PDB file of all heavy atoms in Angstrom:
ATOM      1  N   ASP A  28      -2.753  -2.601  -8.141  1.00  0.00           N
ATOM      2  CA  ASP A  28      -2.364  -3.917  -8.636  1.00  0.00           C
ATOM      3  C   ASP A  28      -0.892  -3.826  -9.001  1.00  0.00           C
ATOM      4  O   ASP A  28      -0.510  -3.074  -9.899  1.00  0.00           O
ATOM      5  CB  ASP A  28      -3.194  -4.308  -9.865  1.00  0.00           C
ATOM      6  CG  ASP A  28      -4.642  -4.569  -9.509  1.00  0.00           C
ATOM      7  OD1 ASP A  28      -4.882  -5.129  -8.423  1.00  0.00           O
ATOM      8  OD2 ASP A  28      -5.516  -4.206 -10.306  1.00  0.00           O
ATOM      9  N   LEU A  29      -0.075  -4.574  -8.287  1.00  0.00           N
ATOM     10  CA  LEU A  29       1.358  -4.565  -8.531  1.00  0.00           C
ATOM     11  C   LEU A  29       1.706  -5.648  -9.556  1.00  0.00           C
ATOM     12  O   LEU A  29       0.834  -6.335 -10.065  1.00  0.00           O
ATOM     13  CB  LEU A  29       2.100  -4.781  -7.215  1.00  0.00           C
ATOM     14  CG  LEU A  29       1.728  -3.818  -6.078  1.00  0.00           C
ATOM     15  CD1 LEU A  29       2.482  -4.180  -4.810  1.00  0.00           C
ATOM     16  CD2 LEU A  29       1.985  -2.376  -6.482  1.00  0.00           C
ATOM     17  N   VAL A  30       2.946  -5.829  -9.853  1.00  0.00           N
ATOM     18  CA  VAL A  30       3.413  -6.802 -10.840  1.00  0.00           C
ATOM     19  C   VAL A  30       2.964  -8.214 -10.491  1.00  0.00           C
ATOM     20  O   VAL A  30       2.971  -8.601  -9.320  1.00  0.00           O
ATOM     21  CB  VAL A  30       4.956  -6.736 -10.938  1.00  0.00           C
ATOM     22  CG1 VAL A  30       5.492  -7.784 -11.887  1.00  0.00           C
ATOM     23  CG2 VAL A  30       5.409  -5.357 -11.365  1.00  0.00           C
ATOM     24  N   GLY A  31       2.555  -8.979 -11.488  1.00  0.00           N
ATOM     25  CA  GLY A  31       2.204 -10.384 -11.292  1.00  0.00           C
ATOM     26  C   GLY A  31       0.883 -10.611 -10.593  1.00  0.00           C
ATOM     27  O   GLY A  31       0.686 -11.649  -9.972  1.00  0.00           O
ATOM     28  N   GLY A  32      -0.024  -9.648 -10.659  1.00  0.00           N
ATOM     29  CA  GLY A  32      -1.331  -9.818 -10.042  1.00  0.00           C
ATOM     30  C   GLY A  32      -1.333  -9.672  -8.529  1.00  0.00           C
ATOM     31  O   GLY A  32      -2.316  -9.993  -7.873  1.00  0.00           O
ATOM     32  N   VAL A  33      -0.254  -9.180  -7.956  1.00  0.00           N
ATOM     33  CA  VAL A  33      -0.156  -8.961  -6.516  1.00  0.00           C
ATOM     34  C   VAL A  33      -0.817  -7.631  -6.176  1.00  0.00           C
ATOM     35  O   VAL A  33      -0.582  -6.624  -6.838  1.00  0.00           O
ATOM     36  CB  VAL A  33       1.327  -8.948  -6.068  1.00  0.00           C
ATOM     37  CG1 VAL A  33       1.458  -8.589  -4.598  1.00  0.00           C
ATOM     38  CG2 VAL A  33       1.980 -10.283  -6.360  1.00  0.00           C
ATOM     39  N   THR A  34      -1.662  -7.633  -5.140  1.00  0.00           N
ATOM     40  CA  THR A  34      -2.270  -6.382  -4.712  1.00  0.00           C
ATOM     41  C   THR A  34      -1.394  -5.715  -3.664  1.00  0.00           C
ATOM     42  O   THR A  34      -0.648  -6.380  -2.948  1.00  0.00           O
ATOM     43  CB  THR A  34      -3.680  -6.603  -4.138  1.00  0.00           C
ATOM     44  OG1 THR A  34      -3.598  -7.492  -3.044  1.00  0.00           O
ATOM     45  CG2 THR A  34      -4.621  -7.150  -5.195  1.00  0.00           C
ATOM     46  N   GLY A  35      -1.499  -4.405  -3.601  1.00  0.00           N
ATOM     47  CA  GLY A  35      -0.681  -3.681  -2.641  1.00  0.00           C
ATOM     48  C   GLY A  35      -1.042  -2.222  -2.601  1.00  0.00           C
ATOM     49  O   GLY A  35      -2.185  -1.835  -2.881  1.00  0.00           O
ATOM     50  N   TRP A  36      -0.050  -1.413  -2.272  1.00  0.00           N
ATOM     51  CA  TRP A  36      -0.236   0.022  -2.059  1.00  0.00           C
ATOM     52  C   TRP A  36       0.846   0.804  -2.782  1.00  0.00           C
ATOM     53  O   TRP A  36       1.985   0.369  -2.852  1.00  0.00           O
ATOM     54  CB  TRP A  36      -0.159   0.339  -0.567  1.00  0.00           C
ATOM     55  CG  TRP A  36      -1.268  -0.289   0.183  1.00  0.00           C
ATOM     56  CD1 TRP A  36      -1.273  -1.528   0.772  1.00  0.00           C
ATOM     57  CD2 TRP A  36      -2.564   0.251   0.385  1.00  0.00           C
ATOM     58  NE1 TRP A  36      -2.488  -1.773   1.330  1.00  0.00           N
ATOM     59  CE2 TRP A  36      -3.299  -0.704   1.111  1.00  0.00           C
ATOM     60  CE3 TRP A  36      -3.174   1.444   0.035  1.00  0.00           C
ATOM     61  CZ2 TRP A  36      -4.620  -0.482   1.490  1.00  0.00           C
ATOM     62  CZ3 TRP A  36      -4.489   1.660   0.404  1.00  0.00           C
ATOM     63  CH2 TRP A  36      -5.191   0.701   1.143  1.00  0.00           C
ATOM     64  N   GLN A  37       0.467   1.969  -3.293  1.00  0.00           N
ATOM     65  CA  GLN A  37       1.425   2.904  -3.866  1.00  0.00           C
ATOM     66  C   GLN A  37       1.355   4.210  -3.100  1.00  0.00           C
ATOM     67  O   GLN A  37       0.274   4.654  -2.713  1.00  0.00           O
ATOM     68  CB  GLN A  37       1.130   3.182  -5.337  1.00  0.00           C
ATOM     69  CG  GLN A  37       1.451   2.030  -6.240  1.00  0.00           C
ATOM     70  CD  GLN A  37       1.307   2.401  -7.714  1.00  0.00           C
ATOM     71  OE1 GLN A  37       0.751   3.432  -8.071  1.00  0.00           O
ATOM     72  NE2 GLN A  37       1.815   1.541  -8.567  1.00  0.00           N
ATOM     73  N   LEU A  38       2.521   4.822  -2.906  1.00  0.00           N
ATOM     74  CA  LEU A  38       2.618   6.105  -2.222  1.00  0.00           C
ATOM     75  C   LEU A  38       3.214   7.117  -3.191  1.00  0.00           C
ATOM     76  O   LEU A  38       4.253   6.854  -3.810  1.00  0.00           O
ATOM     77  CB  LEU A  38       3.497   5.978  -0.973  1.00  0.00           C
ATOM     78  CG  LEU A  38       3.729   7.255  -0.178  1.00  0.00           C
ATOM     79  CD1 LEU A  38       2.410   7.791   0.402  1.00  0.00           C
ATOM     80  CD2 LEU A  38       4.742   7.008   0.937  1.00  0.00           C
ATOM     81  N   HIS A  39       2.539   8.256  -3.345  1.00  0.00           N
ATOM     82  CA  HIS A  39       2.995   9.340  -4.201  1.00  0.00           C
ATOM     83  C   HIS A  39       3.065  10.632  -3.405  1.00  0.00           C
ATOM     84  O   HIS A  39       2.318  10.816  -2.446  1.00  0.00           O
ATOM     85  CB  HIS A  39       2.017   9.559  -5.369  1.00  0.00           C
ATOM     86  CG  HIS A  39       1.979   8.425  -6.330  1.00  0.00           C
ATOM     87  ND1 HIS A  39       1.234   7.296  -6.111  1.00  0.00           N
ATOM     88  CD2 HIS A  39       2.596   8.247  -7.517  1.00  0.00           C
ATOM     89  CE1 HIS A  39       1.389   6.467  -7.124  1.00  0.00           C
ATOM     90  NE2 HIS A  39       2.210   7.023  -7.992  1.00  0.00           N
ATOM     91  N   ARG A  40       3.959  11.528  -3.813  1.00  0.00           N
ATOM     92  CA  ARG A  40       4.006  12.880  -3.260  1.00  0.00           C
ATOM     93  C   ARG A  40       3.988  13.864  -4.422  1.00  0.00           C
ATOM     94  O   ARG A  40       4.822  13.774  -5.318  1.00  0.00           O
ATOM     95  CB  ARG A  40       5.257  13.112  -2.432  1.00  0.00           C
ATOM     96  CG  ARG A  40       5.231  14.487  -1.761  1.00  0.00           C
ATOM     97  CD  ARG A  40       6.455  14.748  -0.954  1.00  0.00           C
ATOM     98  NE  ARG A  40       7.463  15.304  -1.866  1.00  0.00           N
ATOM     99  CZ  ARG A  40       8.742  15.416  -1.574  1.00  0.00           C
ATOM    100  NH1 ARG A  40       9.200  14.975  -0.427  1.00  0.00           N
ATOM    101  NH2 ARG A  40       9.573  15.946  -2.427  1.00  0.00           N
ATOM    102  N   ASP A  41       3.040  14.761  -4.398  1.00  0.00           N
ATOM    103  CA  ASP A  41       2.887  15.750  -5.468  1.00  0.00           C
ATOM    104  C   ASP A  41       2.867  15.089  -6.840  1.00  0.00           C
ATOM    105  O   ASP A  41       3.453  15.589  -7.796  1.00  0.00           O
ATOM    106  CB  ASP A  41       4.009  16.797  -5.411  1.00  0.00           C
ATOM    107  CG  ASP A  41       3.952  17.641  -4.150  1.00  0.00           C
ATOM    108  OD1 ASP A  41       2.832  17.848  -3.621  1.00  0.00           O
ATOM    109  OD2 ASP A  41       5.007  18.087  -3.688  1.00  0.00           O
ATOM    110  N   GLY A  42       2.225  13.928  -6.934  1.00  0.00           N
ATOM    111  CA  GLY A  42       2.090  13.230  -8.201  1.00  0.00           C
ATOM    112  C   GLY A  42       3.285  12.389  -8.599  1.00  0.00           C
ATOM    113  O   GLY A  42       3.249  11.705  -9.623  1.00  0.00           O
ATOM    114  N   LEU A  43       4.344  12.398  -7.810  1.00  0.00           N
ATOM    115  CA  LEU A  43       5.541  11.613  -8.116  1.00  0.00           C
ATOM    116  C   LEU A  43       5.569  10.346  -7.271  1.00  0.00           C
ATOM    117  O   LEU A  43       5.351  10.392  -6.053  1.00  0.00           O
ATOM    118  CB  LEU A  43       6.802  12.439  -7.849  1.00  0.00           C
ATOM    119  CG  LEU A  43       6.943  13.714  -8.671  1.00  0.00           C
ATOM    120  CD1 LEU A  43       8.159  14.506  -8.205  1.00  0.00           C
ATOM    121  CD2 LEU A  43       7.040  13.400 -10.151  1.00  0.00           C
ATOM    122  N   PHE A  44       5.850   9.216  -7.899  1.00  0.00           N
ATOM    123  CA  PHE A  44       5.908   7.920  -7.222  1.00  0.00           C
ATOM    124  C   PHE A  44       7.024   7.917  -6.193  1.00  0.00           C
ATOM    125  O   PHE A  44       8.152   8.317  -6.488  1.00  0.00           O
ATOM    126  CB  PHE A  44       6.143   6.824  -8.265  1.00  0.00           C
ATOM    127  CG  PHE A  44       6.343   5.466  -7.670  1.00  0.00           C
ATOM    128  CD1 PHE A  44       5.263   4.716  -7.252  1.00  0.00           C
ATOM    129  CD2 PHE A  44       7.614   4.951  -7.516  1.00  0.00           C
ATOM    130  CE1 PHE A  44       5.440   3.461  -6.697  1.00  0.00           C
ATOM    131  CE2 PHE A  44       7.801   3.697  -6.969  1.00  0.00           C
ATOM    132  CZ  PHE A  44       6.713   2.950  -6.558  1.00  0.00           C
ATOM    133  N   LEU A  45       6.711   7.467  -4.974  1.00  0.00           N
ATOM    134  CA  LEU A  45       7.718   7.312  -3.924  1.00  0.00           C
ATOM    135  C   LEU A  45       8.074   5.853  -3.687  1.00  0.00           C
ATOM    136  O   LEU A  45       9.242   5.499  -3.619  1.00  0.00           O
ATOM    137  CB  LEU A  45       7.244   7.932  -2.611  1.00  0.00           C
ATOM    138  CG  LEU A  45       7.125   9.445  -2.559  1.00  0.00           C
ATOM    139  CD1 LEU A  45       6.582   9.889  -1.204  1.00  0.00           C
ATOM    140  CD2 LEU A  45       8.469  10.097  -2.828  1.00  0.00           C
ATOM    141  N   ASP A  46       7.047   5.006  -3.509  1.00  0.00           N
ATOM    142  CA  ASP A  46       7.313   3.609  -3.159  1.00  0.00           C
ATOM    143  C   ASP A  46       6.035   2.793  -3.292  1.00  0.00           C
ATOM    144  O   ASP A  46       4.940   3.352  -3.403  1.00  0.00           O
ATOM    145  CB  ASP A  46       7.818   3.523  -1.719  1.00  0.00           C
ATOM    146  CG  ASP A  46       8.672   2.292  -1.445  1.00  0.00           C
ATOM    147  OD1 ASP A  46       8.737   1.382  -2.317  1.00  0.00           O
ATOM    148  OD2 ASP A  46       9.276   2.225  -0.369  1.00  0.00           O
ATOM    149  N   CYS A  47       6.193   1.471  -3.265  1.00  0.00           N
ATOM    150  CA  CYS A  47       5.033   0.581  -3.238  1.00  0.00           C
ATOM    151  C   CYS A  47       5.327  -0.577  -2.295  1.00  0.00           C
ATOM    152  O   CYS A  47       6.483  -0.842  -1.954  1.00  0.00           O
ATOM    153  CB  CYS A  47       4.685   0.078  -4.641  1.00  0.00           C
ATOM    154  SG  CYS A  47       5.940  -0.945  -5.410  1.00  0.00           S
ATOM    155  N   HIS A  48       4.266  -1.245  -1.868  1.00  0.00           N
ATOM    156  CA  HIS A  48       4.398  -2.362  -0.926  1.00  0.00           C
ATOM    157  C   HIS A  48       3.240  -3.314  -1.154  1.00  0.00           C
ATOM    158  O   HIS A  48       2.122  -2.889  -1.417  1.00  0.00           O
ATOM    159  CB  HIS A  48       4.352  -1.837   0.514  1.00  0.00           C
ATOM    160  CG  HIS A  48       4.860  -2.805   1.528  1.00  0.00           C
ATOM    161  ND1 HIS A  48       4.160  -3.936   1.887  1.00  0.00           N
ATOM    162  CD2 HIS A  48       5.991  -2.808   2.249  1.00  0.00           C
ATOM    163  CE1 HIS A  48       4.848  -4.594   2.798  1.00  0.00           C
ATOM    164  NE2 HIS A  48       5.967  -3.924   3.034  1.00  0.00           N
ATOM    165  N   GLU A  49       3.513  -4.610  -1.034  1.00  0.00           N
ATOM    166  CA  GLU A  49       2.438  -5.595  -1.116  1.00  0.00           C
ATOM    167  C   GLU A  49       1.456  -5.388   0.028  1.00  0.00           C
ATOM    168  O   GLU A  49       1.797  -4.813   1.057  1.00  0.00           O
ATOM    169  CB  GLU A  49       3.018  -7.010  -1.014  1.00  0.00           C
ATOM    170  CG  GLU A  49       3.808  -7.438  -2.210  1.00  0.00           C
ATOM    171  CD  GLU A  49       4.301  -8.876  -2.086  1.00  0.00           C
ATOM    172  OE1 GLU A  49       3.720  -9.654  -1.304  1.00  0.00           O
ATOM    173  OE2 GLU A  49       5.270  -9.209  -2.770  1.00  0.00           O
ATOM    174  N   SER A  50       0.233  -5.892  -0.159  1.00  0.00           N
ATOM    175  CA  SER A  50      -0.774  -5.826   0.907  1.00  0.00           C
ATOM    176  C   SER A  50      -0.223  -6.450   2.174  1.00  0.00           C
ATOM    177  O   SER A  50       0.592  -7.373   2.124  1.00  0.00           O
ATOM    178  CB  SER A  50      -2.047  -6.549   0.478  1.00  0.00           C
ATOM    179  OG  SER A  50      -2.667  -5.860  -0.579  1.00  0.00           O
ATOM    180  N   PHE A  51      -0.679  -5.955   3.294  1.00  0.00           N
ATOM    181  CA  PHE A  51      -0.200  -6.422   4.585  1.00  0.00           C
ATOM    182  C   PHE A  51      -1.073  -7.543   5.146  1.00  0.00           C
ATOM    183  O   PHE A  51      -0.596  -8.404   5.863  1.00  0.00           O
ATOM    184  CB  PHE A  51      -0.147  -5.258   5.576  1.00  0.00           C
ATOM    185  CG  PHE A  51       0.819  -4.184   5.167  1.00  0.00           C
ATOM    186  CD1 PHE A  51       0.411  -3.133   4.368  1.00  0.00           C
ATOM    187  CD2 PHE A  51       2.142  -4.238   5.571  1.00  0.00           C
ATOM    188  CE1 PHE A  51       1.299  -2.140   3.981  1.00  0.00           C
ATOM    189  CE2 PHE A  51       3.044  -3.259   5.185  1.00  0.00           C
ATOM    190  CZ  PHE A  51       2.620  -2.217   4.383  1.00  0.00           C
ATOM    191  N   THR A  52      -2.368  -7.518   4.849  1.00  0.00           N
ATOM    192  CA  THR A  52      -3.304  -8.505   5.368  1.00  0.00           C
ATOM    193  C   THR A  52      -4.488  -8.617   4.409  1.00  0.00           C
ATOM    194  O   THR A  52      -4.712  -7.741   3.585  1.00  0.00           O
ATOM    195  CB  THR A  52      -3.802  -8.119   6.783  1.00  0.00           C
ATOM    196  OG1 THR A  52      -4.788  -9.045   7.213  1.00  0.00           O
ATOM    197  CG2 THR A  52      -4.390  -6.739   6.819  1.00  0.00           C
ATOM    198  N   VAL A  53      -5.247  -9.683   4.525  1.00  0.00           N
ATOM    199  CA  VAL A  53      -6.416  -9.865   3.654  1.00  0.00           C
ATOM    200  C   VAL A  53      -7.624  -9.068   4.140  1.00  0.00           C
ATOM    201  O   VAL A  53      -8.589  -8.914   3.410  1.00  0.00           O
ATOM    202  CB  VAL A  53      -6.805 -11.360   3.523  1.00  0.00           C
ATOM    203  CG1 VAL A  53      -5.679 -12.135   2.857  1.00  0.00           C
ATOM    204  CG2 VAL A  53      -7.155 -11.953   4.866  1.00  0.00           C
ATOM    205  N   HIS A  54      -7.574  -8.548   5.347  1.00  0.00           N
ATOM    206  CA  HIS A  54      -8.672  -7.760   5.917  1.00  0.00           C
ATOM    207  C   HIS A  54      -8.457  -6.297   5.546  1.00  0.00           C
ATOM    208  O   HIS A  54      -7.556  -5.645   6.067  1.00  0.00           O
ATOM    209  CB  HIS A  54      -8.742  -7.930   7.433  1.00  0.00           C
ATOM    210  CG  HIS A  54      -8.905  -9.355   7.837  1.00  0.00           C
ATOM    211  ND1 HIS A  54     -10.080 -10.043   7.673  1.00  0.00           N
ATOM    212  CD2 HIS A  54      -8.016 -10.228   8.362  1.00  0.00           C
ATOM    213  CE1 HIS A  54      -9.921 -11.285   8.092  1.00  0.00           C
ATOM    214  NE2 HIS A  54      -8.681 -11.426   8.508  1.00  0.00           N
ATOM    215  N   PHE A  55      -9.301  -5.760   4.661  1.00  0.00           N
ATOM    216  CA  PHE A  55      -9.058  -4.444   4.070  1.00  0.00           C
ATOM    217  C   PHE A  55      -8.905  -3.336   5.105  1.00  0.00           C
ATOM    218  O   PHE A  55      -7.987  -2.522   5.000  1.00  0.00           O
ATOM    219  CB  PHE A  55     -10.157  -4.082   3.060  1.00  0.00           C
ATOM    220  CG  PHE A  55      -9.847  -2.840   2.284  1.00  0.00           C
ATOM    221  CD1 PHE A  55      -8.877  -2.853   1.300  1.00  0.00           C
ATOM    222  CD2 PHE A  55     -10.508  -1.664   2.559  1.00  0.00           C
ATOM    223  CE1 PHE A  55      -8.570  -1.706   0.584  1.00  0.00           C
ATOM    224  CE2 PHE A  55     -10.219  -0.507   1.848  1.00  0.00           C
ATOM    225  CZ  PHE A  55      -9.248  -0.534   0.859  1.00  0.00           C
ATOM    226  N   ASP A  56      -9.767  -3.278   6.116  1.00  0.00           N
ATOM    227  CA  ASP A  56      -9.670  -2.207   7.112  1.00  0.00           C
ATOM    228  C   ASP A  56      -8.324  -2.236   7.835  1.00  0.00           C
ATOM    229  O   ASP A  56      -7.698  -1.199   8.042  1.00  0.00           O
ATOM    230  CB  ASP A  56     -10.803  -2.283   8.133  1.00  0.00           C
ATOM    231  CG  ASP A  56     -12.145  -1.905   7.523  1.00  0.00           C
ATOM    232  OD1 ASP A  56     -12.168  -1.290   6.446  1.00  0.00           O
ATOM    233  OD2 ASP A  56     -13.179  -2.233   8.134  1.00  0.00           O
ATOM    234  N   ARG A  57      -7.878  -3.420   8.203  1.00  0.00           N
ATOM    235  CA  ARG A  57      -6.573  -3.544   8.869  1.00  0.00           C
ATOM    236  C   ARG A  57      -5.439  -3.255   7.893  1.00  0.00           C
ATOM    237  O   ARG A  57      -4.405  -2.708   8.277  1.00  0.00           O
ATOM    238  CB  ARG A  57      -6.406  -4.930   9.487  1.00  0.00           C
ATOM    239  CG  ARG A  57      -7.166  -5.041  10.794  1.00  0.00           C
ATOM    240  CD  ARG A  57      -6.820  -6.305  11.503  1.00  0.00           C
ATOM    241  NE  ARG A  57      -7.982  -7.189  11.325  1.00  0.00           N
ATOM    242  CZ  ARG A  57      -7.986  -8.476  11.561  1.00  0.00           C
ATOM    243  NH1 ARG A  57      -6.902  -9.072  11.973  1.00  0.00           N
ATOM    244  NH2 ARG A  57      -9.066  -9.177  11.380  1.00  0.00           N
ATOM    245  N   ASP A  58      -5.644  -3.612   6.630  1.00  0.00           N
ATOM    246  CA  ASP A  58      -4.631  -3.355   5.614  1.00  0.00           C
ATOM    247  C   ASP A  58      -4.454  -1.856   5.394  1.00  0.00           C
ATOM    248  O   ASP A  58      -3.331  -1.372   5.235  1.00  0.00           O
ATOM    249  CB  ASP A  58      -5.005  -4.056   4.305  1.00  0.00           C
ATOM    250  CG  ASP A  58      -3.810  -4.264   3.401  1.00  0.00           C
ATOM    251  OD1 ASP A  58      -2.765  -4.739   3.894  1.00  0.00           O
ATOM    252  OD2 ASP A  58      -3.915  -3.945   2.202  1.00  0.00           O
ATOM    253  N   VAL A  59      -5.550  -1.109   5.402  1.00  0.00           N
ATOM    254  CA  VAL A  59      -5.471   0.346   5.249  1.00  0.00           C
ATOM    255  C   VAL A  59      -4.652   0.933   6.396  1.00  0.00           C
ATOM    256  O   VAL A  59      -3.758   1.761   6.172  1.00  0.00           O
ATOM    257  CB  VAL A  59      -6.887   0.987   5.211  1.00  0.00           C
ATOM    258  CG1 VAL A  59      -6.797   2.502   5.301  1.00  0.00           C
ATOM    259  CG2 VAL A  59      -7.636   0.562   3.965  1.00  0.00           C
ATOM    260  N   GLU A  60      -4.931   0.510   7.616  1.00  0.00           N
ATOM    261  CA  GLU A  60      -4.185   1.013   8.775  1.00  0.00           C
ATOM    262  C   GLU A  60      -2.701   0.673   8.667  1.00  0.00           C
ATOM    263  O   GLU A  60      -1.846   1.526   8.943  1.00  0.00           O
ATOM    264  CB  GLU A  60      -4.762   0.446  10.061  1.00  0.00           C
ATOM    265  CG  GLU A  60      -6.133   0.990  10.398  1.00  0.00           C
ATOM    266  CD  GLU A  60      -6.717   0.376  11.657  1.00  0.00           C
ATOM    267  OE1 GLU A  60      -5.949  -0.168  12.480  1.00  0.00           O
ATOM    268  OE2 GLU A  60      -7.947   0.452  11.819  1.00  0.00           O
ATOM    269  N   ALA A  61      -2.383  -0.547   8.274  1.00  0.00           N
ATOM    270  CA  ALA A  61      -0.988  -0.955   8.129  1.00  0.00           C
ATOM    271  C   ALA A  61      -0.308  -0.160   7.005  1.00  0.00           C
ATOM    272  O   ALA A  61       0.855   0.235   7.133  1.00  0.00           O
ATOM    273  CB  ALA A  61      -0.901  -2.453   7.849  1.00  0.00           C
ATOM    274  N   ALA A  62      -1.042   0.086   5.918  1.00  0.00           N
ATOM    275  CA  ALA A  62      -0.483   0.864   4.810  1.00  0.00           C
ATOM    276  C   ALA A  62      -0.193   2.299   5.245  1.00  0.00           C
ATOM    277  O   ALA A  62       0.831   2.881   4.855  1.00  0.00           O
ATOM    278  CB  ALA A  62      -1.430   0.840   3.621  1.00  0.00           C
ATOM    279  N   MET A  63      -1.071   2.880   6.049  1.00  0.00           N
ATOM    280  CA  MET A  63      -0.834   4.230   6.556  1.00  0.00           C
ATOM    281  C   MET A  63       0.407   4.266   7.443  1.00  0.00           C
ATOM    282  O   MET A  63       1.230   5.180   7.344  1.00  0.00           O
ATOM    283  CB  MET A  63      -2.048   4.738   7.326  1.00  0.00           C
ATOM    284  CG  MET A  63      -3.207   5.070   6.450  1.00  0.00           C
ATOM    285  SD  MET A  63      -4.614   5.579   7.466  1.00  0.00           S
ATOM    286  CE  MET A  63      -5.879   5.702   6.221  1.00  0.00           C
ATOM    287  N   ASP A  64       0.561   3.263   8.307  1.00  0.00           N
ATOM    288  CA  ASP A  64       1.752   3.184   9.158  1.00  0.00           C
ATOM    289  C   ASP A  64       3.011   3.078   8.298  1.00  0.00           C
ATOM    290  O   ASP A  64       4.018   3.747   8.565  1.00  0.00           O
ATOM    291  CB  ASP A  64       1.673   1.983  10.102  1.00  0.00           C
ATOM    292  CG  ASP A  64       0.657   2.175  11.214  1.00  0.00           C
ATOM    293  OD1 ASP A  64       0.244   3.330  11.468  1.00  0.00           O
ATOM    294  OD2 ASP A  64       0.264   1.159  11.822  1.00  0.00           O
ATOM    295  N   TRP A  65       2.964   2.228   7.265  1.00  0.00           N
ATOM    296  CA  TRP A  65       4.099   2.063   6.357  1.00  0.00           C
ATOM    297  C   TRP A  65       4.412   3.388   5.655  1.00  0.00           C
ATOM    298  O   TRP A  65       5.572   3.810   5.593  1.00  0.00           O
ATOM    299  CB  TRP A  65       3.776   0.962   5.332  1.00  0.00           C
ATOM    300  CG  TRP A  65       4.660   0.977   4.143  1.00  0.00           C
ATOM    301  CD1 TRP A  65       5.943   0.513   4.067  1.00  0.00           C
ATOM    302  CD2 TRP A  65       4.346   1.492   2.847  1.00  0.00           C
ATOM    303  NE1 TRP A  65       6.440   0.714   2.801  1.00  0.00           N
ATOM    304  CE2 TRP A  65       5.477   1.307   2.042  1.00  0.00           C
ATOM    305  CE3 TRP A  65       3.217   2.082   2.297  1.00  0.00           C
ATOM    306  CZ2 TRP A  65       5.503   1.697   0.694  1.00  0.00           C
ATOM    307  CZ3 TRP A  65       3.239   2.473   0.974  1.00  0.00           C
ATOM    308  CH2 TRP A  65       4.367   2.276   0.187  1.00  0.00           C
TER     309      TRP A  65
END
């Protein structure tokens, strides 16, 4: 859950925050694939 109730993704490496991005699509399976690509 990102700022303002926006859903998205967080990426960490070794427990340290790298980046975040809003959800790519409302379809969770496709969103997971898009998040992995990102």
